[in-house]
Amino acid sequence: MKSKLNKVLLPAIALSLMIMAPAIAEGPSRTAGQQQPLLEEIAFQLPTNNYCSAEQSLDFSFQLSNAGSTPADITVSFYQQDGGKFTTEGTSYQQIGSTIIPGKPFTLKGNATGLYHINFGNHLNCNDRIYLGKISVNSGKASLLARGWVNMKGAVQNIEVNGNQTFELAAVPTTSEAAAAKAEK
């Protein structure tokens, strides 16, 4: 019985440890308590590759909420198909508002929401449509929620940013900020 144990079971255990050991060694290299650095920006797609004309216009609406209690210094940017920046101020009508100006930094109060709305086909030329959005933090940290929609004749396509979950962004510290933080340690 002992010889069967030595011949079969021990080699199987040794083999499984050889297979598992490299996987364990490849784990995260950070030390306990060390956090992964936060992103400076988050990007998302806009589903605007639809029929577009004066008869079939596209409404685009977006909202960004500060999930934290302190102000957030942020910028929302939109990009056209060719990668060009889109900086047109939004429109407001029938209780749909626009408080965000694309590409322009602004401060969003704690627990407040910024809004953006624009129409392609009626208000702007369909060739001006935007396909990519980015939210970036300009200084400090921010805890944000964002979502939106594109509406074409009542057919609504949702825009999800980070799976409709809160996301954290942090600005890359300047040289003087990094030196001050290092001096504190």
Side-chain angles (χ1 to χ4, degrees), residues 144-182:
L144 305 167
L145 282 163
R147 65 176 308 160
W149 51 261
V150 173
N151 185 345
M152 187 180 96
K153 287 191 167 187
V156 176
Q157 293 184 3
N158 290 318
I159 299 166
E160 288 191 14
V161 180
N162 197 46
N164 289 332
Q165 301 293 317
T166 303
F167 55 93
E168 309 287 326
L169 298 177
V172 175
T174 64
T175 307
S176 59
E177 290 171 336
K182 190 175 182 181

mmCIF file of all heavy atoms in Angstrom, residues 144-182:
data_model
loop_
_atom_site.group_PDB
_atom_site.id
_atom_site.type_symbol
_atom_site.label_atom_id
_atom_site.label_comp_id
_atom_site.label_asym_id
_atom_site.label_seq_id
_atom_site.Cartn_x
_atom_site.Cartn_y
_atom_site.Cartn_z
ATOM 1 N N LEU A 144 -17.029 59.763 -10.377
ATOM 2 C CA LEU A 144 -18.035 60.194 -11.341
ATOM 3 C C LEU A 144 -18.947 59.054 -11.798
ATOM 4 O O LEU A 144 -18.592 57.886 -11.711
ATOM 5 C CB LEU A 144 -17.338 60.791 -12.567
ATOM 6 C CG LEU A 144 -16.358 61.934 -12.301
ATOM 7 C CD1 LEU A 144 -15.515 62.208 -13.535
ATOM 8 C CD2 LEU A 144 -17.099 63.175 -11.863
ATOM 9 N N LEU A 145 -20.107 59.439 -12.319
ATOM 10 C CA LEU A 145 -21.047 58.557 -13.001
ATOM 11 C C LEU A 145 -21.420 59.247 -14.310
ATOM 12 O O LEU A 145 -21.616 60.461 -14.328
ATOM 13 C CB LEU A 145 -22.326 58.374 -12.186
ATOM 14 C CG LEU A 145 -22.286 57.425 -11.016
ATOM 15 C CD1 LEU A 145 -23.471 57.683 -10.099
ATOM 16 C CD2 LEU A 145 -22.312 56.000 -11.510
ATOM 17 N N ALA A 146 -21.525 58.492 -15.395
ATOM 18 C CA ALA A 146 -21.874 59.096 -16.679
ATOM 19 C C ALA A 146 -22.716 58.136 -17.499
ATOM 20 O O ALA A 146 -22.543 56.918 -17.420
ATOM 21 C CB ALA A 146 -20.619 59.475 -17.458
ATOM 22 N N ARG A 147 -23.615 58.714 -18.279
ATOM 23 C CA ARG A 147 -24.444 57.937 -19.199
ATOM 24 C C ARG A 147 -25.069 58.881 -20.213
ATOM 25 O O ARG A 147 -25.015 60.088 -20.074
ATOM 26 C CB ARG A 147 -25.502 57.142 -18.458
ATOM 27 C CG ARG A 147 -26.534 58.017 -17.759
ATOM 28 C CD ARG A 147 -27.638 57.241 -17.110
ATOM 29 N NE ARG A 147 -28.193 56.339 -18.086
ATOM 30 C CZ ARG A 147 -28.893 55.262 -17.796
ATOM 31 N NH1 ARG A 147 -29.157 54.963 -16.568
ATOM 32 N NH2 ARG A 147 -29.379 54.493 -18.731
ATOM 33 N N GLY A 148 -25.674 58.322 -21.224
ATOM 34 C CA GLY A 148 -26.336 59.139 -22.228
ATOM 35 C C GLY A 148 -27.161 58.280 -23.153
ATOM 36 O O GLY A 148 -27.337 57.083 -22.933
ATOM 37 N N TRP A 149 -27.648 58.915 -24.216
ATOM 38 C CA TRP A 149 -28.438 58.197 -25.205
ATOM 39 C C TRP A 149 -28.394 58.909 -26.547
ATOM 40 O O TRP A 149 -28.109 60.100 -26.633
ATOM 41 C CB TRP A 149 -29.876 57.999 -24.759
ATOM 42 C CG TRP A 149 -30.608 59.224 -24.277
ATOM 43 C CD1 TRP A 149 -30.804 59.601 -22.990
ATOM 44 C CD2 TRP A 149 -31.250 60.241 -25.067
ATOM 45 N NE1 TRP A 149 -31.516 60.781 -22.925
ATOM 46 C CE2 TRP A 149 -31.808 61.192 -24.191
ATOM 47 C CE3 TRP A 149 -31.406 60.441 -26.440
ATOM 48 C CZ2 TRP A 149 -32.499 62.320 -24.628
ATOM 49 C CZ3 TRP A 149 -32.097 61.562 -26.877
ATOM 50 C CH2 TRP A 149 -32.635 62.484 -25.978
ATOM 51 N N VAL A 150 -28.669 58.143 -27.579
ATOM 52 C CA VAL A 150 -28.863 58.674 -28.932
ATOM 53 C C VAL A 150 -30.268 58.241 -29.331
ATOM 54 O O VAL A 150 -30.629 57.071 -29.224
ATOM 55 C CB VAL A 150 -27.821 58.125 -29.921
ATOM 56 C CG1 VAL A 150 -28.144 58.558 -31.345
ATOM 57 C CG2 VAL A 150 -26.420 58.568 -29.519
ATOM 58 N N ASN A 151 -31.076 59.199 -29.787
ATOM 59 C CA ASN A 151 -32.469 58.931 -30.146
ATOM 60 C C ASN A 151 -32.669 59.263 -31.623
ATOM 61 O O ASN A 151 -32.362 60.363 -32.065
ATOM 62 C CB ASN A 151 -33.393 59.783 -29.275
ATOM 63 C CG ASN A 151 -34.856 59.480 -29.504
ATOM 64 O OD1 ASN A 151 -35.251 58.847 -30.477
ATOM 65 N ND2 ASN A 151 -35.678 59.962 -28.593
ATOM 66 N N MET A 152 -33.204 58.294 -32.370
ATOM 67 C CA MET A 152 -33.536 58.500 -33.767
ATOM 68 C C MET A 152 -34.980 58.054 -33.972
ATOM 69 O O MET A 152 -35.271 56.856 -33.926
ATOM 70 C CB MET A 152 -32.603 57.708 -34.688
ATOM 71 C CG MET A 152 -32.812 58.045 -36.160
ATOM 72 S SD MET A 152 -31.720 57.105 -37.223
ATOM 73 C CE MET A 152 -32.800 55.773 -37.666
ATOM 74 N N LYS A 153 -35.854 59.012 -34.114
ATOM 75 C CA LYS A 153 -37.283 58.736 -34.322
ATOM 76 C C LYS A 153 -37.852 57.793 -33.261
ATOM 77 O O LYS A 153 -38.542 56.828 -33.562
ATOM 78 C CB LYS A 153 -37.527 58.164 -35.719
ATOM 79 C CG LYS A 153 -37.394 59.175 -36.818
ATOM 80 C CD LYS A 153 -37.924 58.588 -38.113
ATOM 81 C CE LYS A 153 -38.091 59.698 -39.136
ATOM 82 N NZ LYS A 153 -38.749 59.242 -40.331
ATOM 83 N N GLY A 154 -37.504 58.045 -32.008
ATOM 84 C CA GLY A 154 -38.045 57.257 -30.912
ATOM 85 C C GLY A 154 -37.277 55.996 -30.587
ATOM 86 O O GLY A 154 -37.532 55.364 -29.565
ATOM 87 N N ALA A 155 -36.346 55.589 -31.440
ATOM 88 C CA ALA A 155 -35.505 54.429 -31.144
ATOM 89 C C ALA A 155 -34.290 54.910 -30.352
ATOM 90 O O ALA A 155 -33.445 55.620 -30.878
ATOM 91 C CB ALA A 155 -35.060 53.742 -32.433
ATOM 92 N N VAL A 156 -34.237 54.545 -29.092
ATOM 93 C CA VAL A 156 -33.192 55.028 -28.199
ATOM 94 C C VAL A 156 -32.091 53.983 -28.061
ATOM 95 O O VAL A 156 -32.366 52.810 -27.804
ATOM 96 C CB VAL A 156 -33.778 55.365 -26.805
ATOM 97 C CG1 VAL A 156 -32.685 55.768 -25.835
ATOM 98 C CG2 VAL A 156 -34.825 56.450 -26.924
ATOM 99 N N GLN A 157 -30.852 54.423 -28.238
ATOM 100 C CA GLN A 157 -29.678 53.586 -28.003
ATOM 101 C C GLN A 157 -28.931 54.201 -26.824
ATOM 102 O O GLN A 157 -28.552 55.367 -26.876
ATOM 103 C CB GLN A 157 -28.787 53.520 -29.225
ATOM 104 C CG GLN A 157 -29.412 52.797 -30.390
ATOM 105 C CD GLN A 157 -28.451 52.683 -31.557
ATOM 106 O OE1 GLN A 157 -27.305 53.096 -31.497
ATOM 107 N NE2 GLN A 157 -28.927 52.105 -32.640
ATOM 108 N N ASN A 158 -28.747 53.423 -25.775
ATOM 109 C CA ASN A 158 -28.079 53.923 -24.578
ATOM 110 C C ASN A 158 -26.577 53.991 -24.766
ATOM 111 O O ASN A 158 -25.995 53.190 -25.488
ATOM 112 C CB ASN A 158 -28.403 53.037 -23.372
ATOM 113 C CG ASN A 158 -29.841 53.197 -22.941
ATOM 114 O OD1 ASN A 158 -30.363 54.305 -22.907
ATOM 115 N ND2 ASN A 158 -30.488 52.097 -22.609
ATOM 116 N N ILE A 159 -25.980 54.946 -24.080
ATOM 117 C CA ILE A 159 -24.529 55.091 -24.019
ATOM 118 C C ILE A 159 -24.128 54.745 -22.598
ATOM 119 O O ILE A 159 -24.607 55.370 -21.653
ATOM 120 C CB ILE A 159 -24.085 56.528 -24.346
ATOM 121 C CG1 ILE A 159 -24.503 56.903 -25.761
ATOM 122 C CG2 ILE A 159 -22.586 56.695 -24.145
ATOM 123 C CD1 ILE A 159 -24.422 58.379 -26.044
ATOM 124 N N GLU A 160 -23.301 53.742 -22.456
ATOM 125 C CA GLU A 160 -22.832 53.349 -21.139
ATOM 126 C C GLU A 160 -21.379 53.735 -20.981
ATOM 127 O O GLU A 160 -20.570 53.511 -21.870
ATOM 128 C CB GLU A 160 -22.974 51.837 -20.943
ATOM 129 C CG GLU A 160 -24.396 51.378 -20.785
ATOM 130 C CD GLU A 160 -24.484 49.935 -20.330
ATOM 131 O OE1 GLU A 160 -23.466 49.362 -19.887
ATOM 132 O OE2 GLU A 160 -25.585 49.388 -20.415
ATOM 133 N N VAL A 161 -21.081 54.330 -19.852
ATOM 134 C CA VAL A 161 -19.706 54.655 -19.504
ATOM 135 C C VAL A 161 -19.373 53.837 -18.260
ATOM 136 O O VAL A 161 -20.055 53.958 -17.242
ATOM 137 C CB VAL A 161 -19.538 56.162 -19.233
ATOM 138 C CG1 VAL A 161 -18.101 56.485 -18.865
ATOM 139 C CG2 VAL A 161 -19.996 56.981 -20.428
ATOM 140 N N ASN A 162 -18.381 52.979 -18.363
ATOM 141 C CA ASN A 162 -17.958 52.127 -17.253
ATOM 142 C C ASN A 162 -19.104 51.254 -16.736
ATOM 143 O O ASN A 162 -19.259 51.059 -15.530
ATOM 144 C CB ASN A 162 -17.354 52.958 -16.118
ATOM 145 C CG ASN A 162 -16.553 52.113 -15.150
ATOM 146 O OD1 ASN A 162 -15.751 51.292 -15.561
ATOM 147 N ND2 ASN A 162 -16.776 52.316 -13.862
ATOM 148 N N GLY A 163 -19.935 50.754 -17.627
ATOM 149 C CA GLY A 163 -21.022 49.868 -17.241
ATOM 150 C C GLY A 163 -22.023 50.500 -16.288
ATOM 151 O O GLY A 163 -22.618 49.819 -15.467
ATOM 152 N N ASN A 164 -22.199 51.814 -16.395
ATOM 153 C CA ASN A 164 -23.087 52.579 -15.511
ATOM 154 C C ASN A 164 -22.690 52.457 -14.040
ATOM 155 O O ASN A 164 -23.534 52.553 -13.160
ATOM 156 C CB ASN A 164 -24.556 52.190 -15.703
ATOM 157 C CG ASN A 164 -25.099 52.685 -17.020
ATOM 158 O OD1 ASN A 164 -24.644 53.694 -17.550
ATOM 159 N ND2 ASN A 164 -26.070 51.987 -17.566
ATOM 160 N N GLN A 165 -21.411 52.256 -13.790
ATOM 161 C CA GLN A 165 -20.879 52.179 -12.430
ATOM 162 C C GLN A 165 -20.023 53.417 -12.159
ATOM 163 O O GLN A 165 -19.458 54.016 -13.071
ATOM 164 C CB GLN A 165 -19.999 50.928 -12.261
ATOM 165 C CG GLN A 165 -20.720 49.625 -12.527
ATOM 166 C CD GLN A 165 -21.784 49.338 -11.491
ATOM 167 O OE1 GLN A 165 -21.590 49.528 -10.304
ATOM 168 N NE2 GLN A 165 -22.946 48.887 -11.948
ATOM 169 N N THR A 166 -19.916 53.786 -10.906
ATOM 170 C CA THR A 166 -19.045 54.894 -10.509
ATOM 171 C C THR A 166 -17.616 54.570 -10.934
ATOM 172 O O THR A 166 -17.172 53.431 -10.848
ATOM 173 C CB THR A 166 -19.090 55.077 -8.980
ATOM 174 O OG1 THR A 166 -20.445 55.288 -8.589
ATOM 175 C CG2 THR A 166 -18.249 56.247 -8.533
ATOM 176 N N PHE A 167 -16.893 55.589 -11.394
ATOM 177 C CA PHE A 167 -15.480 55.410 -11.730
ATOM 178 C C PHE A 167 -14.680 56.548 -11.124
ATOM 179 O O PHE A 167 -15.175 57.647 -10.924
ATOM 180 C CB PHE A 167 -15.258 55.312 -13.248
ATOM 181 C CG PHE A 167 -15.810 56.462 -14.042
ATOM 182 C CD1 PHE A 167 -15.027 57.557 -14.371
ATOM 183 C CD2 PHE A 167 -17.141 56.432 -14.466
ATOM 184 C CE1 PHE A 167 -15.549 58.604 -15.108
ATOM 185 C CE2 PHE A 167 -17.661 57.477 -15.210
ATOM 186 C CZ PHE A 167 -16.866 58.564 -15.533
ATOM 187 N N GLU A 168 -13.440 56.240 -10.799
ATOM 188 C CA GLU A 168 -12.543 57.192 -10.160
ATOM 189 C C GLU A 168 -11.485 57.634 -11.167
ATOM 190 O O GLU A 168 -10.910 56.804 -11.855
ATOM 191 C CB GLU A 168 -11.836 56.552 -8.958
ATOM 192 C CG GLU A 168 -12.762 55.858 -7.978
ATOM 193 C CD GLU A 168 -13.570 56.820 -7.144
ATOM 194 O OE1 GLU A 168 -13.063 57.897 -6.822
ATOM 195 O OE2 GLU A 168 -14.725 56.490 -6.816
ATOM 196 N N LEU A 169 -11.249 58.933 -11.237
ATOM 197 C CA LEU A 169 -10.193 59.484 -12.074
ATOM 198 C C LEU A 169 -9.296 60.358 -11.206
ATOM 199 O O LEU A 169 -9.761 60.960 -10.242
ATOM 200 C CB LEU A 169 -10.776 60.332 -13.213
ATOM 201 C CG LEU A 169 -11.685 59.624 -14.216
ATOM 202 C CD1 LEU A 169 -12.225 60.627 -15.234
ATOM 203 C CD2 LEU A 169 -10.961 58.496 -14.922
ATOM 204 N N ALA A 170 -8.033 60.442 -11.557
ATOM 205 C CA ALA A 170 -7.093 61.295 -10.827
ATOM 206 C C ALA A 170 -6.111 61.906 -11.810
ATOM 207 O O ALA A 170 -5.631 61.229 -12.725
ATOM 208 C CB ALA A 170 -6.347 60.499 -9.771
ATOM 209 N N ALA A 171 -5.825 63.168 -11.605
ATOM 210 C CA ALA A 171 -4.867 63.861 -12.468
ATOM 211 C C ALA A 171 -3.454 63.410 -12.122
ATOM 212 O O ALA A 171 -3.152 63.085 -10.971
ATOM 213 C CB ALA A 171 -4.991 65.369 -12.279
ATOM 214 N N VAL A 172 -2.594 63.378 -13.129
ATOM 215 C CA VAL A 172 -1.189 63.092 -12.908
ATOM 216 C C VAL A 172 -0.607 64.289 -12.169
ATOM 217 O O VAL A 172 -0.779 65.433 -12.612
ATOM 218 C CB VAL A 172 -0.450 62.864 -14.253
ATOM 219 C CG1 VAL A 172 1.034 62.698 -14.030
ATOM 220 C CG2 VAL A 172 -1.036 61.676 -14.981
ATOM 221 N N PRO A 173 0.037 64.062 -11.019
ATOM 222 C CA PRO A 173 0.553 65.204 -10.268
ATOM 223 C C PRO A 173 1.651 65.938 -11.031
ATOM 224 O O PRO A 173 2.438 65.309 -11.747
ATOM 225 C CB PRO A 173 1.104 64.583 -8.986
ATOM 226 C CG PRO A 173 1.133 63.114 -9.200
ATOM 227 C CD PRO A 173 0.306 62.798 -10.392
ATOM 228 N N THR A 174 1.669 67.257 -10.882
ATOM 229 C CA THR A 174 2.737 68.049 -11.475
ATOM 230 C C THR A 174 4.034 67.728 -10.748
ATOM 231 O O THR A 174 4.031 67.102 -9.688
ATOM 232 C CB THR A 174 2.439 69.555 -11.362
ATOM 233 O OG1 THR A 174 2.413 69.896 -9.968
ATOM 234 C CG2 THR A 174 1.121 69.919 -12.019
ATOM 235 N N THR A 175 5.147 68.183 -11.270
ATOM 236 C CA THR A 175 6.449 67.928 -10.646
ATOM 237 C C THR A 175 6.486 68.463 -9.225
ATOM 238 O O THR A 175 6.952 67.779 -8.310
ATOM 239 C CB THR A 175 7.567 68.571 -11.493
ATOM 240 O OG1 THR A 175 7.427 68.122 -12.847
ATOM 241 C CG2 THR A 175 8.934 68.208 -10.978
ATOM 242 N N SER A 176 5.946 69.669 -9.016
ATOM 243 C CA SER A 176 5.965 70.254 -7.676
ATOM 244 C C SER A 176 5.023 69.499 -6.728
ATOM 245 O O SER A 176 5.338 69.313 -5.557
ATOM 246 C CB SER A 176 5.596 71.740 -7.727
ATOM 247 O OG SER A 176 4.318 71.911 -8.284
ATOM 248 N N GLU A 177 3.863 69.033 -7.230
ATOM 249 C CA GLU A 177 2.955 68.243 -6.400
ATOM 250 C C GLU A 177 3.585 66.911 -6.001
ATOM 251 O O GLU A 177 3.461 66.467 -4.861
ATOM 252 C CB GLU A 177 1.638 67.987 -7.126
ATOM 253 C CG GLU A 177 0.761 69.210 -7.290
ATOM 254 C CD GLU A 177 -0.446 68.964 -8.197
ATOM 255 O OE1 GLU A 177 -0.400 68.051 -9.047
ATOM 256 O OE2 GLU A 177 -1.420 69.703 -8.050
ATOM 257 N N ALA A 178 4.272 66.272 -6.949
ATOM 258 C CA ALA A 178 4.925 64.998 -6.673
ATOM 259 C C ALA A 178 6.045 65.191 -5.648
ATOM 260 O O ALA A 178 6.216 64.372 -4.741
ATOM 261 C CB ALA A 178 5.486 64.394 -7.960
ATOM 262 N N ALA A 179 6.805 66.282 -5.769
ATOM 263 C CA ALA A 179 7.877 66.550 -4.823
ATOM 264 C C ALA A 179 7.318 66.816 -3.434
ATOM 265 O O ALA A 179 7.870 66.356 -2.426
ATOM 266 C CB ALA A 179 8.720 67.737 -5.297
ATOM 267 N N ALA A 180 6.226 67.553 -3.344
ATOM 268 C CA ALA A 180 5.598 67.843 -2.046
ATOM 269 C C ALA A 180 5.077 66.565 -1.411
ATOM 270 O O ALA A 180 5.219 66.361 -0.202
ATOM 271 C CB ALA A 180 4.468 68.852 -2.228
ATOM 272 N N ALA A 181 4.461 65.688 -2.202
ATOM 273 C CA ALA A 181 3.949 64.424 -1.679
ATOM 274 C C ALA A 181 5.089 63.544 -1.186
ATOM 275 O O ALA A 181 4.980 62.869 -0.161
ATOM 276 C CB ALA A 181 3.135 63.699 -2.738
ATOM 277 N N LYS A 182 6.211 63.543 -1.906
ATOM 278 C CA LYS A 182 7.365 62.754 -1.511
ATOM 279 C C LYS A 182 7.970 63.288 -0.223
ATOM 280 O O LYS A 182 8.407 62.533 0.643
ATOM 281 C CB LYS A 182 8.402 62.762 -2.635
ATOM 282 C CG LYS A 182 9.528 61.796 -2.440
ATOM 283 C CD LYS A 182 10.451 61.763 -3.636
ATOM 284 C CE LYS A 182 11.556 60.747 -3.443
ATOM 285 N NZ LYS A 182 12.463 60.726 -4.589
#
